[in-house]
PDB file of all heavy atoms in Angstrom:
ATOM      1  N   GLY Q 144      80.323  73.693 104.586  1.00  0.00           N
ATOM      2  CA  GLY Q 144      79.516  72.517 104.321  1.00  0.00           C
ATOM      3  C   GLY Q 144      80.046  71.301 105.075  1.00  0.00           C
ATOM      4  O   GLY Q 144      81.197  71.352 105.530  1.00  0.00           O
ATOM      5  N   ASP Q 145      79.242  70.263 105.199  1.00  0.00           N
ATOM      6  CA  ASP Q 145      79.668  69.127 105.992  1.00  0.00           C
ATOM      7  C   ASP Q 145      80.755  68.366 105.238  1.00  0.00           C
ATOM      8  O   ASP Q 145      81.601  67.681 105.837  1.00  0.00           O
ATOM      9  CB  ASP Q 145      78.506  68.221 106.387  1.00  0.00           C
ATOM     10  CG  ASP Q 145      77.893  67.525 105.197  1.00  0.00           C
ATOM     11  OD1 ASP Q 145      77.596  68.206 104.202  1.00  0.00           O
ATOM     12  OD2 ASP Q 145      77.726  66.276 105.220  1.00  0.00           O
ATOM     13  N   GLY Q 146      80.769  68.402 103.887  1.00  0.00           N
ATOM     14  CA  GLY Q 146      81.894  67.792 103.186  1.00  0.00           C
ATOM     15  C   GLY Q 146      83.158  68.610 103.343  1.00  0.00           C
ATOM     16  O   GLY Q 146      84.249  68.004 103.629  1.00  0.00           O
ATOM     17  N   GLU Q 147      83.022  69.887 103.254  1.00  0.00           N
ATOM     18  CA  GLU Q 147      84.156  70.760 103.488  1.00  0.00           C
ATOM     19  C   GLU Q 147      84.775  70.545 104.868  1.00  0.00           C
ATOM     20  O   GLU Q 147      86.004  70.745 105.056  1.00  0.00           O
ATOM     21  CB  GLU Q 147      83.744  72.238 103.366  1.00  0.00           C
ATOM     22  CG  GLU Q 147      84.818  73.227 103.768  1.00  0.00           C
ATOM     23  CD  GLU Q 147      84.403  74.673 103.653  1.00  0.00           C
ATOM     24  OE1 GLU Q 147      83.176  74.943 103.537  1.00  0.00           O
ATOM     25  OE2 GLU Q 147      85.250  75.528 103.742  1.00  0.00           O
ATOM     26  N   PHE Q 148      83.914  70.175 105.770  1.00  0.00           N
ATOM     27  CA  PHE Q 148      84.350  69.979 107.178  1.00  0.00           C
ATOM     28  C   PHE Q 148      85.456  68.956 107.282  1.00  0.00           C
ATOM     29  O   PHE Q 148      86.183  68.928 108.267  1.00  0.00           O
ATOM     30  CB  PHE Q 148      83.114  69.527 107.962  1.00  0.00           C
ATOM     31  CG  PHE Q 148      83.134  69.990 109.361  1.00  0.00           C
ATOM     32  CD1 PHE Q 148      83.282  71.328 109.677  1.00  0.00           C
ATOM     33  CD2 PHE Q 148      82.944  69.062 110.415  1.00  0.00           C
ATOM     34  CE1 PHE Q 148      83.233  71.732 111.014  1.00  0.00           C
ATOM     35  CE2 PHE Q 148      82.887  69.478 111.705  1.00  0.00           C
ATOM     36  CZ  PHE Q 148      83.059  70.832 112.022  1.00  0.00           C
ATOM     37  N   ASP Q 149      85.663  68.082 106.281  1.00  0.00           N
ATOM     38  CA  ASP Q 149      86.716  67.115 106.311  1.00  0.00           C
ATOM     39  C   ASP Q 149      88.103  67.765 106.368  1.00  0.00           C
ATOM     40  O   ASP Q 149      89.069  67.195 106.917  1.00  0.00           O
ATOM     41  CB  ASP Q 149      86.705  66.216 105.041  1.00  0.00           C
ATOM     42  CG  ASP Q 149      85.516  65.249 105.031  1.00  0.00           C
ATOM     43  OD1 ASP Q 149      84.801  65.146 106.054  1.00  0.00           O
ATOM     44  OD2 ASP Q 149      85.363  64.555 104.045  1.00  0.00           O
ATOM     45  N   GLU Q 150      88.218  68.938 105.783  1.00  0.00           N
ATOM     46  CA  GLU Q 150      89.538  69.581 105.692  1.00  0.00           C
ATOM     47  C   GLU Q 150      90.019  69.951 107.129  1.00  0.00           C
ATOM     48  O   GLU Q 150      89.369  70.621 107.879  1.00  0.00           O
ATOM     49  CB  GLU Q 150      89.402  70.901 104.935  1.00  0.00           C
ATOM     50  CG  GLU Q 150      89.000  70.721 103.466  1.00  0.00           C
ATOM     51  CD  GLU Q 150      90.147  70.184 102.547  1.00  0.00           C
ATOM     52  OE1 GLU Q 150      91.249  69.947 103.091  1.00  0.00           O
ATOM     53  OE2 GLU Q 150      89.932  70.023 101.355  1.00  0.00           O
ATOM     54  N   GLY Q 151      91.263  69.504 107.405  1.00  0.00           N
ATOM     55  CA  GLY Q 151      91.774  69.730 108.740  1.00  0.00           C
ATOM     56  C   GLY Q 151      91.931  71.163 109.102  1.00  0.00           C
ATOM     57  O   GLY Q 151      91.910  71.531 110.289  1.00  0.00           O
ATOM     58  N   SER Q 152      92.096  72.021 108.120  1.00  0.00           N
ATOM     59  CA  SER Q 152      92.274  73.405 108.408  1.00  0.00           C
ATOM     60  C   SER Q 152      91.106  74.022 109.195  1.00  0.00           C
ATOM     61  O   SER Q 152      91.254  74.919 110.019  1.00  0.00           O
ATOM     62  CB  SER Q 152      92.463  74.248 107.117  1.00  0.00           C
ATOM     63  OG  SER Q 152      91.440  73.915 106.208  1.00  0.00           O
ATOM     64  N   ASN Q 153      89.880  73.493 108.911  1.00  0.00           N
ATOM     65  CA  ASN Q 153      88.717  73.917 109.669  1.00  0.00           C
ATOM     66  C   ASN Q 153      88.909  73.694 111.179  1.00  0.00           C
ATOM     67  O   ASN Q 153      88.505  74.535 112.039  1.00  0.00           O
ATOM     68  CB  ASN Q 153      87.436  73.188 109.198  1.00  0.00           C
ATOM     69  CG  ASN Q 153      87.040  73.614 107.820  1.00  0.00           C
ATOM     70  OD1 ASN Q 153      86.922  74.817 107.546  1.00  0.00           O
ATOM     71  ND2 ASN Q 153      86.795  72.666 106.972  1.00  0.00           N
ATOM     72  N   HIS Q 154      89.504  72.543 111.477  1.00  0.00           N
ATOM     73  CA  HIS Q 154      89.564  72.156 112.879  1.00  0.00           C
ATOM     74  C   HIS Q 154      90.663  72.964 113.622  1.00  0.00           C
ATOM     75  O   HIS Q 154      90.540  73.176 114.827  1.00  0.00           O
ATOM     76  CB  HIS Q 154      89.725  70.640 112.974  1.00  0.00           C
ATOM     77  CG  HIS Q 154      88.515  69.970 112.336  1.00  0.00           C
ATOM     78  ND1 HIS Q 154      87.374  69.715 113.010  1.00  0.00           N
ATOM     79  CD2 HIS Q 154      88.308  69.646 111.031  1.00  0.00           C
ATOM     80  CE1 HIS Q 154      86.469  69.204 112.159  1.00  0.00           C
ATOM     81  NE2 HIS Q 154      87.011  69.163 110.977  1.00  0.00           N
ATOM     82  N   GLU Q 155      91.673  73.422 112.909  1.00  0.00           N
ATOM     83  CA  GLU Q 155      92.561  74.396 113.540  1.00  0.00           C
ATOM     84  C   GLU Q 155      91.800  75.651 113.907  1.00  0.00           C
ATOM     85  O   GLU Q 155      91.993  76.174 115.008  1.00  0.00           O
ATOM     86  CB  GLU Q 155      93.724  74.734 112.522  1.00  0.00           C
ATOM     87  CG  GLU Q 155      94.682  73.630 112.233  1.00  0.00           C
ATOM     88  CD  GLU Q 155      95.895  74.111 111.445  1.00  0.00           C
ATOM     89  OE1 GLU Q 155      96.011  75.344 111.168  1.00  0.00           O
ATOM     90  OE2 GLU Q 155      96.707  73.248 111.087  1.00  0.00           O
ATOM     91  N   ALA Q 156      90.982  76.121 112.983  1.00  0.00           N
ATOM     92  CA  ALA Q 156      90.287  77.388 113.245  1.00  0.00           C
ATOM     93  C   ALA Q 156      89.220  77.251 114.301  1.00  0.00           C
ATOM     94  O   ALA Q 156      88.993  78.143 115.098  1.00  0.00           O
ATOM     95  CB  ALA Q 156      89.681  77.883 111.946  1.00  0.00           C
ATOM     96  N   ILE Q 157      88.533  76.101 114.314  1.00  0.00           N
ATOM     97  CA  ILE Q 157      87.472  75.854 115.278  1.00  0.00           C
ATOM     98  C   ILE Q 157      88.056  75.833 116.722  1.00  0.00           C
ATOM     99  O   ILE Q 157      87.538  76.467 117.601  1.00  0.00           O
ATOM    100  CB  ILE Q 157      86.731  74.541 114.993  1.00  0.00           C
ATOM    101  CG1 ILE Q 157      85.872  74.713 113.743  1.00  0.00           C
ATOM    102  CG2 ILE Q 157      85.901  74.108 116.180  1.00  0.00           C
ATOM    103  CD1 ILE Q 157      85.341  73.378 113.214  1.00  0.00           C
ATOM    104  N   ALA Q 158      89.170  75.127 116.870  1.00  0.00           N
ATOM    105  CA  ALA Q 158      89.801  75.095 118.193  1.00  0.00           C
ATOM    106  C   ALA Q 158      90.229  76.469 118.605  1.00  0.00           C
ATOM    107  O   ALA Q 158      90.053  76.896 119.748  1.00  0.00           O
ATOM    108  CB  ALA Q 158      90.977  74.137 118.157  1.00  0.00           C
ATOM    109  N   LEU Q 159      90.841  77.230 117.684  1.00  0.00           N
ATOM    110  CA  LEU Q 159      91.366  78.528 118.018  1.00  0.00           C
ATOM    111  C   LEU Q 159      90.228  79.515 118.386  1.00  0.00           C
ATOM    112  O   LEU Q 159      90.308  80.179 119.452  1.00  0.00           O
ATOM    113  CB  LEU Q 159      92.140  79.080 116.827  1.00  0.00           C
ATOM    114  CG  LEU Q 159      92.743  80.489 116.988  1.00  0.00           C
ATOM    115  CD1 LEU Q 159      93.742  80.469 118.170  1.00  0.00           C
ATOM    116  CD2 LEU Q 159      93.409  80.882 115.705  1.00  0.00           C
ATOM    117  N   ALA Q 160      89.177  79.508 117.587  1.00  0.00           N
ATOM    118  CA  ALA Q 160      88.043  80.438 117.904  1.00  0.00           C
ATOM    119  C   ALA Q 160      87.384  80.090 119.200  1.00  0.00           C
ATOM    120  O   ALA Q 160      86.986  81.007 119.959  1.00  0.00           O
ATOM    121  CB  ALA Q 160      87.042  80.386 116.764  1.00  0.00           C
ATOM    122  N   GLY Q 161      87.310  78.813 119.514  1.00  0.00           N
ATOM    123  CA  GLY Q 161      86.718  78.384 120.788  1.00  0.00           C
ATOM    124  C   GLY Q 161      87.520  78.842 121.965  1.00  0.00           C
ATOM    125  O   GLY Q 161      87.038  79.409 122.907  1.00  0.00           O
ATOM    126  N   ARG Q 162      88.849  78.633 121.878  1.00  0.00           N
ATOM    127  CA  ARG Q 162      89.727  79.030 122.976  1.00  0.00           C
ATOM    128  C   ARG Q 162      89.753  80.538 123.182  1.00  0.00           C
ATOM    129  O   ARG Q 162      89.856  81.015 124.304  1.00  0.00           O
ATOM    130  CB  ARG Q 162      91.116  78.564 122.623  1.00  0.00           C
ATOM    131  CG  ARG Q 162      91.703  77.386 123.286  1.00  0.00           C
ATOM    132  CD  ARG Q 162      90.875  76.364 123.944  1.00  0.00           C
ATOM    133  NE  ARG Q 162      91.438  75.078 123.600  1.00  0.00           N
ATOM    134  CZ  ARG Q 162      90.957  74.344 122.601  1.00  0.00           C
ATOM    135  NH1 ARG Q 162      89.901  74.727 121.939  1.00  0.00           N
ATOM    136  NH2 ARG Q 162      91.567  73.196 122.312  1.00  0.00           N
ATOM    137  N   LEU Q 163      89.670  81.272 122.109  1.00  0.00           N
ATOM    138  CA  LEU Q 163      89.732  82.717 122.181  1.00  0.00           C
ATOM    139  C   LEU Q 163      88.371  83.329 122.499  1.00  0.00           C
ATOM    140  O   LEU Q 163      88.251  84.544 122.707  1.00  0.00           O
ATOM    141  CB  LEU Q 163      90.295  83.336 120.874  1.00  0.00           C
ATOM    142  CG  LEU Q 163      91.742  82.910 120.536  1.00  0.00           C
ATOM    143  CD1 LEU Q 163      92.163  83.564 119.227  1.00  0.00           C
ATOM    144  CD2 LEU Q 163      92.715  83.283 121.646  1.00  0.00           C
ATOM    145  N   GLY Q 164      87.329  82.517 122.500  1.00  0.00           N
ATOM    146  CA  GLY Q 164      85.995  83.010 122.862  1.00  0.00           C
ATOM    147  C   GLY Q 164      85.490  84.108 121.945  1.00  0.00           C
ATOM    148  O   GLY Q 164      84.963  85.123 122.407  1.00  0.00           O
ATOM    149  N   LEU Q 165      85.574  83.887 120.646  1.00  0.00           N
ATOM    150  CA  LEU Q 165      85.264  84.907 119.670  1.00  0.00           C
ATOM    151  C   LEU Q 165      83.715  85.000 119.423  1.00  0.00           C
ATOM    152  O   LEU Q 165      83.195  84.384 118.535  1.00  0.00           O
ATOM    153  CB  LEU Q 165      85.985  84.661 118.337  1.00  0.00           C
ATOM    154  CG  LEU Q 165      87.524  84.609 118.446  1.00  0.00           C
ATOM    155  CD1 LEU Q 165      88.107  84.403 117.058  1.00  0.00           C
ATOM    156  CD2 LEU Q 165      88.084  85.870 119.122  1.00  0.00           C
ATOM    157  N   ASP Q 166      83.055  85.752 120.291  1.00  0.00           N
ATOM    158  CA  ASP Q 166      81.579  85.782 120.144  1.00  0.00           C
ATOM    159  C   ASP Q 166      81.113  86.671 119.013  1.00  0.00           C
ATOM    160  O   ASP Q 166      79.887  86.756 118.775  1.00  0.00           O
ATOM    161  CB  ASP Q 166      80.906  86.191 121.481  1.00  0.00           C
ATOM    162  CG  ASP Q 166      81.436  87.497 121.992  1.00  0.00           C
ATOM    163  OD1 ASP Q 166      82.106  88.249 121.286  1.00  0.00           O
ATOM    164  OD2 ASP Q 166      81.113  87.815 123.227  1.00  0.00           O
ATOM    165  N   GLN Q 167      81.966  87.317 118.254  1.00  0.00           N
ATOM    166  CA  GLN Q 167      81.538  87.999 117.057  1.00  0.00           C
ATOM    167  C   GLN Q 167      81.443  87.013 115.859  1.00  0.00           C
ATOM    168  O   GLN Q 167      81.041  87.429 114.779  1.00  0.00           O
ATOM    169  CB  GLN Q 167      82.516  89.136 116.708  1.00  0.00           C
ATOM    170  CG  GLN Q 167      82.423  90.338 117.604  1.00  0.00           C
ATOM    171  CD  GLN Q 167      83.527  91.368 117.340  1.00  0.00           C
ATOM    172  OE1 GLN Q 167      84.541  91.378 118.056  1.00  0.00           O
ATOM    173  NE2 GLN Q 167      83.338  92.186 116.339  1.00  0.00           N
ATOM    174  N   LEU Q 168      81.781  85.763 116.083  1.00  0.00           N
ATOM    175  CA  LEU Q 168      81.854  84.766 115.005  1.00  0.00           C
ATOM    176  C   LEU Q 168      80.700  83.789 115.050  1.00  0.00           C
ATOM    177  O   LEU Q 168      80.370  83.267 116.132  1.00  0.00           O
ATOM    178  CB  LEU Q 168      83.170  84.018 115.101  1.00  0.00           C
ATOM    179  CG  LEU Q 168      83.432  82.936 114.037  1.00  0.00           C
ATOM    180  CD1 LEU Q 168      83.623  83.588 112.644  1.00  0.00           C
ATOM    181  CD2 LEU Q 168      84.660  82.115 114.385  1.00  0.00           C
ATOM    182  N   THR Q 169      80.038  83.588 113.937  1.00  0.00           N
ATOM    183  CA  THR Q 169      79.029  82.548 113.844  1.00  0.00           C
ATOM    184  C   THR Q 169      79.375  81.721 112.596  1.00  0.00           C
ATOM    185  O   THR Q 169      79.586  82.251 111.503  1.00  0.00           O
ATOM    186  CB  THR Q 169      77.631  83.135 113.633  1.00  0.00           C
ATOM    187  OG1 THR Q 169      77.327  83.885 114.835  1.00  0.00           O
ATOM    188  CG2 THR Q 169      76.574  82.062 113.457  1.00  0.00           C
ATOM    189  N   VAL Q 170      79.391  80.421 112.775  1.00  0.00           N
ATOM    190  CA  VAL Q 170      79.491  79.513 111.629  1.00  0.00           C
ATOM    191  C   VAL Q 170      78.148  78.928 111.285  1.00  0.00           C
ATOM    192  O   VAL Q 170      77.386  78.507 112.161  1.00  0.00           O
ATOM    193  CB  VAL Q 170      80.535  78.384 111.941  1.00  0.00           C
ATOM    194  CG1 VAL Q 170      80.390  77.227 110.976  1.00  0.00           C
ATOM    195  CG2 VAL Q 170      81.929  78.950 111.939  1.00  0.00           C
ATOM    196  N   VAL Q 171      77.842  78.983 110.006  1.00  0.00           N
ATOM    197  CA  VAL Q 171      76.649  78.284 109.496  1.00  0.00           C
ATOM    198  C   VAL Q 171      77.127  77.007 108.803  1.00  0.00           C
ATOM    199  O   VAL Q 171      77.784  77.093 107.813  1.00  0.00           O
ATOM    200  CB  VAL Q 171      75.937  79.187 108.477  1.00  0.00           C
ATOM    201  CG1 VAL Q 171      74.608  78.513 108.058  1.00  0.00           C
ATOM    202  CG2 VAL Q 171      75.730  80.592 109.004  1.00  0.00           C
TER     203      VAL Q 171
END
Side-chain angles (χ1 to χ4, degrees):
Chain Q
D145 68 310
E147 171 182 14
F148 212 53
D149 288 355
E150 298 283 1
S152 53
N153 290 311
H154 300 273
E155 291 190 4
I157 288 168
L159 180 61
R162 258 17 140 265
L163 298 179
L165 302 182
D166 55 13
Q167 287 173 261
L168 180 67
T169 297
V170 164
V171 186

